[in-house]
């Protein structure tokens, strides 16, 4: 085969593979066997190996790149990616329908109903017909560049079809001509239910964290650093929007879907053009009924005004189009049998009853336990052991027991009451006046100790990588670990010879070994330099979570200063208040805790935050008051607040006329509405970053 023949063959093969790929992944109607398809791909690979200069980025052999990224670049969306307003029930849906109905019937355009796919939104840009970029929604204005990963999703065409046919290769990316037209399409990447179950089983087996639901699994897979991992995840994508459809001469949503289908995208077939509200209702009812039979998760129905001209007229609110509404399904409920209520002991000794029931699949994942919070809650719900109970997921994530099905009782069910003794150490349980939870009174309780040690090592606290429950349990059993300061007294030999309590095939006990021990020693060293806020959180004082930890750290900057503070003074700190202040004081009043802190200090665990550069910065924002709302991508609320304060600004929790600027992140809350109402200027994250980096207040003309 000479070069010219090879070139022709390559083009033909790509055309054919592209078409089969489309039939298989987008239409689910394969024409040839997997074996024949693989043979075509293999032939293409062989020719490309022989003539590497014939390889183009849109070749089907080039789906999965091999270069892992360390960080995703950011992409500014040419047109904002909006979220959707929700209707939580049919009544709210009717409210919306009534609002748009006069316009819709005047034009006779109807509503297009689509399933609301529960995945992660994605925007794909094609230049000259070739996929050049894929971005996540991010905050709607700026997303992350996930092109390499989305290329690995087979139902996403690398090159657009033209009316259902693969266009002749154009090598658009390599031509010097200005790229023809650019099209941006949007849709939802998702993970099929079955693939999700399989992935979780595999993660579990490998000792890796599992995903709460298919949506998280899809989002997590799209943001993998290594595209090969994304490729292994069996993602798919339904596309449902063309960013600038009218420029393509498309006038309605249903025509847009046809265009997307013909361009080679996977388009969800279950859509319906409805003339009236009654038909919209019927579609929603239908969707609720088929929901469980679909191979992918949906969490509602999206109703869109079909006509683009009317869409434009209706326009957008700050967050969402007025021309569409998401009808959200009520949380899915299932029944199962309550087998037992087990009591867990938390790190502060709090006893939490946990319902254990026969495993059921709810909203896409299997659940077998749910917290019952406290004794009163159990009494209020009236559940008994052996009851048939209704379970669901709150916010579609956290398992929850709704209540018993009393009519199914046969008399064998048992009432349950909180044990009077701690299930771990047998000490008395004490329930304070006015408190709902009982607590184990033994400060040395092993269950509490394990929780406290695990908390110290956890991600949000000191983040001792690799120091998991099993190792901590063994260290406690073997008397090497009593409190958090003991972590830093561990030596390599202690760890490498740690008995894991299992016997190997050859009859000798299984030890932790040198490799893991070495890693743990490194993790321990690394954990010594965590910021003060993490240390405060890690100590596990009551009522001091990560936010309060940050607040205390930024107010006092060292544990010595914090210990010296009076209760009144502590109560003045923002986010703190009298209850937390009392708890902090009580913690430092305990000599055992002081001893722990002294030992941490002598192990060189960082206990003060260095005065950062920010401290010495000029107070250029003095006199200005900022309010933050919504999620920022590059800052946490705390870090943004701290950076602004370092420049002399005040950061407040509520918007008033005196507010100078409101910084608006993704999914802003009512503070945003308030800002608009009062005419307070708003800033986006980019502007905030500029201010923080330059130290200059926002320019008048930039507002
Ligand atoms: P929410 O995240 O609840 O604000 O819902 C808005 C999101 O629903 C959009 O950003 C899309 O990612 C997603 N979505 C899923 N299916 C559809 C659909 N058929 N039409 C529009 N949005 C959809
Ligand atoms: Zn106990």
């Amino acid at each position: 085969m000479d070069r010219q023949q090879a070139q022709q063959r390559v083009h033909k093969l790509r055309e054919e593979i592209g078409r089969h790929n489309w039939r298989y992944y987008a239409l689910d109607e394969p024409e040839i066997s997997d074996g024949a398809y693989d043979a075509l791909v293999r032939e293409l690979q062989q020719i490309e190996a022989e003539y590497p200069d014939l390889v183009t980025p849109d070749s089907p052999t080039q789906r999965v790149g091999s270069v892992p990224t360390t960080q995703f670049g950011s992409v500014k969306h040419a047109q904002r990616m909006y979220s959707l307003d929700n209707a939580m029930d049919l009544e709210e849906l009717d409210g919306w329908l009534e609002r748009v109905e006069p316009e819709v019937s005047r034009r006779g355009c109807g509503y297009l109903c689509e399933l609301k796919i529960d995945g992660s939104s994605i925007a794909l840009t094609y230049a000259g017909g070739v996929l050049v970029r894929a971005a996540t929604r991010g905050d709607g204005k700026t997303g992350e560049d996930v092109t390499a990963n989305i290329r690995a999703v087979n139902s996403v065409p690398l090159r657009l079809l033209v009316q259902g046919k693969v266009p002749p290769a154009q090598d658009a990316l390599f031509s010097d001509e200005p790229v023809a037209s650019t099209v941006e399409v949007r849709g939802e990447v998702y993970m099929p239910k079955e693939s999700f179950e399989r992935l979780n089983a595999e993660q579990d087996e490998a000792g890796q964290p599992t995903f709460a639901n298919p949506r998280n699994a899809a989002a997590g897979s799209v943001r993998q650093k290594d595209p090969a991992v994304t490729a292994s995840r069996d993602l798919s994508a339904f596309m449902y929007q063309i960013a600038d459809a009218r420029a393509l001469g498309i006038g309605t949503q249903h025509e847009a879907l046809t265009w997307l289908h013909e361009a080679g995208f996977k388009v969800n077939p279950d859509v319906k053009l409805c003339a009236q509200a009654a038909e919209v209702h019927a579609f929603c009812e239908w969707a609720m009924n088929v929901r469980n039979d679909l191979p992918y998760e949906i969490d509602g129905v999206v109703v869109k005004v079909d006509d683009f001209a009317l869409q434009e007229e209706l326009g957008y609110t700050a967050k969402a189009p007025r021309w569409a509404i998401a009808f959200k399904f009520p949380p899915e409920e299932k029944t199962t049998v309550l087998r037992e209520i087990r009591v867990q002991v938390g790190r502060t000794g709090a006893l939490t009853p946990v319902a254990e029931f026969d495993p059921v699949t709810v909203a896409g994942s299997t659940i077998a336990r749910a917290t019952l919070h406290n004794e009163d809650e159990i009494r209020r719900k009236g559940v008994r052991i052996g009851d048939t109970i209704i379970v669901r997921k709150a916010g579609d994530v956290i398992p929850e027991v709704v209540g018993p099905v009393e009519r199914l009782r046969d008399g064998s069910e048992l009432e349950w009451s909180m044990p009077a003794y701690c299930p771990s150490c047998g000490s008395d349980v004490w329930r304070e006046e006015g408190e709902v939870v009982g607590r184990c009174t033994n400060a040395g309780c092993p269950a509490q100790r394990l929780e406290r040690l695990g908390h110290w090592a956890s991600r949000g606290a000191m983040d001792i990588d690799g120091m998991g429950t099993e190792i901590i349990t063994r260290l406690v059993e073997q008397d090497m670990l009593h409190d958090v300061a003991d972590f830093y007294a561990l030596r390599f030999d202690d760890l490498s010879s740690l008995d894991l309590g299992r016997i190997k095939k050859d009859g000798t006990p299984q030890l932790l070994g040198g490799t893991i021990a070495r890693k743990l020693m490194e993790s321990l060293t690394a954990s010594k330099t965590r910021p003060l806020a993490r240390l405060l959180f890690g100590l596990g004082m009551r009522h001091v979570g990560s936010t309060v930890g940050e607040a205390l750290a930024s107010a006092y900057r060292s544990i010595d200063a914090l210990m010296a503070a009076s209760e009144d003074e502590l109560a003045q700190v923002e986010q703190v208040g009298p209850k937390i202040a009392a708890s902090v004081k009580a913690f430092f009043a305990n000599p055992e805790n002081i001893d722990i802190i002294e030992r941490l200090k002598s192990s060189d665990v960082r206990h003060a935050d260095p005065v950062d550069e920010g401290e010495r910065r000029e107070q250029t924002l003095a006199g200005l008051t900022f309010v933050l709302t919504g999620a920022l991508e590059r800052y946490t609320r705390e870090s943004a607040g701290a950076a602004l304060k370092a420049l002399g600004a005040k950061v407040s929790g509520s918007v008033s006329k005196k507010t100078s600027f409101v910084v608006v992140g993704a999914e802003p809350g009512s503070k945003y509405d308030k800002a608009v109402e009062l005419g307070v200027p708003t800033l986006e994250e980019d502007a905030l970053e500029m201010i923080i980096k330059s130290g200059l207040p926002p320019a008048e003309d930039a507002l």
Side-chain angles (χ1 to χ4, degrees):
M1 197 186 292
D2 65 19
R3 194 176 183 287
Q4 203 189 346
Q5 286 168 320
Q7 188 160 18
Q8 277 169 5
R9 185 72 182 163
V10 160
H11 282 171
K12 279 238 173 310
L13 282 168
R14 284 185 193 152
E15 220 174 284
E16 196 56 8
I17 292 168
R19 200 169 63 82
H20 288 303
N21 190 75
W22 170 62
R23 294 207 63 99
Y24 186 89
Y25 290 106
L27 305 187
D28 206 7
E29 288 167 3
E31 235 173 46
I32 58 171
S33 68
D34 292 1
Y37 176 85
D38 291 345
L40 293 177
V41 175
R42 222 167 303 124
E43 184 186 344
L44 178 60
Q45 280 168 337
Q46 272 158 11
I47 303 177
E48 286 181 346
E50 207 172 318
Y51 297 96
D53 58 316
L54 292 181
V55 179
T56 58
D58 62 323
S59 169
T61 59
Q62 303 301 305
R63 273 204 180 266
V64 187
S66 53
V67 194
T69 28
T70 45
Q71 217 183 349
F72 300 104
S74 71
V75 171
K76 229 175 159 61
H77 297 300
Q79 281 180 44
R80 180 152 175 195
M81 286 180 88
Y82 284 90
S83 126
L84 290 170
D85 278 337
N86 290 331
M88 301 312 287
D89 51 36
L90 288 172
E91 211 173 303
E92 288 187 19
L93 174 63
D94 284 340
W96 179 80
L97 285 167
E98 271 161 33
R99 247 172 292 144
V100 294
E101 162 65 25
E103 291 301 310
V104 169
S105 61
R106 189 166 59 78
R107 293 197 191 226
C109 73
Y111 307 92
L112 196 76
C113 295
E114 299 171 14
L115 299 178
K116 186 164 186 292
I117 313 298
D118 203 6
S120 188
S121 18
I122 196 86
L124 309 174
T125 307
Y126 288 80
V130 174
L131 175 66
V132 292
R133 202 164 67 186
T136 62
R137 179 168 83 180
D139 65 0
K141 290 174 187 157
T142 317
E144 280 179 321
D145 186 335
V146 288
T147 314
N149 289 344
I150 290 300
R151 289 174 61 89
V153 177
N154 285 309
S155 52
V156 169
L158 297 179
R159 170 187 290 280
L160 298 182
L161 311 188
V162 172
Q163 288 168 348
K165 288 211 192 67
V166 179
Q170 303 161 23
D171 299 343
L173 284 180
F174 294 135
S175 85
D176 292 334
E177 312 252 320
V179 256
S181 56
T182 309
V183 206
E184 186 187 323
V185 302
R186 293 168 177 183
E188 198 85 353
V189 197
Y190 68 93
M191 184 176 288
K193 289 175 187 170
E194 217 183 281
S195 316
F196 164 74
E197 294 289 347
R198 198 177 335 122
L199 171 62
N200 262 358
E202 284 166 11
Q203 292 280 109
D204 214 16
E205 199 144 293
Q208 298 287 330
T210 55
F211 295 97
N213 50 41
R215 174 179 6 114
N216 290 2
S221 303
V222 166
R223 299 184 73 262
Q224 284 296 320
K225 298 217 162 97
D226 183 354
V229 176
T230 310
S232 73
R233 289 282 171 88
D234 191 30
L235 296 171
S236 194
F238 283 123
M239 304 311 286
Y240 51 73
Q241 194 185 349
I242 306 170
D244 196 4
R246 295 186 82 187
L248 297 171
I250 302 168
T252 62
Q253 174 64 8
H254 75 272
E255 285 165 14
L257 295 182
T258 307
W259 188 95
L260 287 167
H261 172 77
E262 286 176 347
F265 294 100
K266 184 167 174 173
V267 174
N268 193 287
D270 290 318
V271 298
K272 189 158 191 268
L273 187 56
C274 299
Q276 298 144 3
E279 287 174 64
V280 173
H281 273 204
F283 184 86
C284 292
E285 302 278 353
W286 171 83
M288 274 190 271
N289 283 328
V290 298
R291 172 181 196 190
N292 287 326
D293 305 325
L294 293 172
Y296 45 86
E297 278 291 323
I298 58 173
D299 62 339
V301 166
V302 185
V303 187
K304 301 174 182 175
V305 166
D306 192 42
D307 186 71
F308 288 153
L310 180 51
Q311 285 190 0
E312 221 159 83
E313 232 171 76
L314 290 167
Y316 298 82
T317 66
K319 284 187 289 185
R322 290 202 183 83
W323 47 262
I325 189 96
F327 167 70
K328 288 276 194 133
F329 294 145
E332 190 189 346
E333 298 187 341
K334 286 280 178 70
T335 59
T336 180
V337 178
L338 179 62
R339 295 294 171 194
E340 185 154 13
I341 296 176
R342 214 183 280 282
V343 176
Q344 274 182 357
V345 188
R347 73 187 139 85
T348 57
L351 302 187
T352 311
V354 177
E356 301 197 338
F357 41 82
D358 291 344
V360 270
T361 305
V362 183
S365 64
T366 306
I367 57 174
R369 51 216 322 264
T371 174
L372 287 165
H373 303 290
N374 55 61
E375 198 174 6
D376 293 353
E377 179 86 357
I378 296 177
R379 201 149 306 135
R380 201 174 58 71
K381 289 194 164 144
V383 287
R384 300 178 186 169
I385 310 289
D387 262 341
T388 296
I389 52 168
I390 298 172
V391 294
R392 69 172 177 213
K393 284 197 198 156
D396 271 357
V397 182
I398 301 157
E400 178 185 41
V401 174
V402 181
V405 187
E406 288 181 32
R407 282 169 185 281
L408 291 178
R409 282 187 181 152
D410 62 9
S412 69
E413 296 76 16
L414 295 173
E415 290 231 33
W416 186 88
S417 59
M418 202 73 180
Y421 305 101
C422 169
S424 169
C425 69
S427 303
D428 286 345
V429 172
W430 170 246
R431 186 165 155 177
E432 224 173 293
E433 279 278 325
E435 284 256 344
V436 285
V437 289
R439 286 170 199 282
C440 165
T441 48
N442 173 10
C445 170
Q448 287 184 48
R449 187 185 304 158
L450 278 182
E451 290 292 324
R452 274 200 298 271
L453 293 165
H455 173 73
W456 176 267
S458 71
R459 275 257 193 99
M462 302 300 270
D463 194 9
I464 310 178
D465 195 25
M467 191 65 79
T469 315
E470 184 184 355
I471 295 176
I472 293 177
T473 308
R474 300 290 168 218
L475 288 167
V476 170
E477 278 171 6
Q478 287 160 53
D479 233 16
M480 286 187 264
L481 205 51
H482 308 88
D483 59 44
V484 299
D486 290 337
F487 274 121
Y488 302 98
L490 291 169
R491 284 162 319 144
F492 174 78
D493 294 342
D494 299 333
L495 288 168
S496 63
S497 60
L498 181 71
D499 189 339
L500 292 178
R502 292 191 293 259
I503 302 295
K504 289 197 293 191
K505 280 207 189 90
D506 63 8
T508 58
Q510 172 120 42
L511 306 180
L512 188 65
T515 317
I516 299 181
R518 206 161 297 119
K519 279 215 180 112
L520 284 173
M521 290 308 289
E522 280 167 21
S523 303
L524 282 165
T525 307
S527 79
K528 288 184 184 181
T529 53
R530 304 285 177 237
L532 177 64
R534 304 272 213 102
L535 178 123
L536 296 178
F537 174 54
L539 285 173
M541 297 178 242
R542 265 188 86 188
H543 309 305
V544 179
S546 56
T547 317
V548 174
E550 297 241 10
L552 290 171
S554 73
Y556 292 97
R557 309 218 138 251
S558 78
I559 199 140
D560 293 330
L562 179 64
M563 291 195 311
S566 72
E567 195 170 323
D568 284 346
E569 209 178 299
L570 286 169
Q572 298 303 313
V573 176
E574 210 177 328
Q575 315 260 23
V576 180
K579 185 166 147 193
I580 302 177
S583 158
V584 172
K585 272 326 252 186
F587 183 88
F588 290 128
N590 182 334
E592 282 179 41
N593 292 332
I594 300 297
D595 174 58
I596 291 175
I597 290 164
E598 289 308 321
R599 279 156 53 226
L600 286 171
K601 283 184 184 170
S602 53
S603 302
D604 288 330
V605 174
R606 175 170 145 184
H607 49 89
D609 281 344
V611 178
D612 59 14
E613 277 172 52
E615 292 285 280
R616 288 190 298 271
R617 296 183 75 170
E618 236 185 292
Q619 305 290 290
T620 41
L621 302 184
L624 298 177
T625 305
F626 288 73
V627 173
L628 301 160
T629 179
L632 298 173
E633 296 220 315
R634 281 154 277 169
Y635 301 90
T636 61
R637 212 37 100 73
E638 288 74 24
S639 69
L644 289 170
K645 282 186 202 155
L647 290 161
K650 254 191 82 179
V651 177
S652 162
S654 59
V655 180
S656 74
K657 281 205 188 115
K658 289 197 200 123
T659 309
S660 320
F661 301 100
V662 174
V663 179
V664 182
E667 315 207 337
S670 59
K671 290 178 209 162
Y672 175 76
D673 303 326
K674 189 83 197 239
V676 174
E677 193 189 312
L678 296 177
V680 175
T682 58
L683 299 171
E684 288 170 29
E685 182 158 0
D686 284 344
L688 174 71
E689 191 171 17
M690 283 274 282
I691 296 167
I692 292 174
K693 290 206 171 132
S694 67
L696 299 172
E700 288 290 329
D701 58 0
L703 297 173

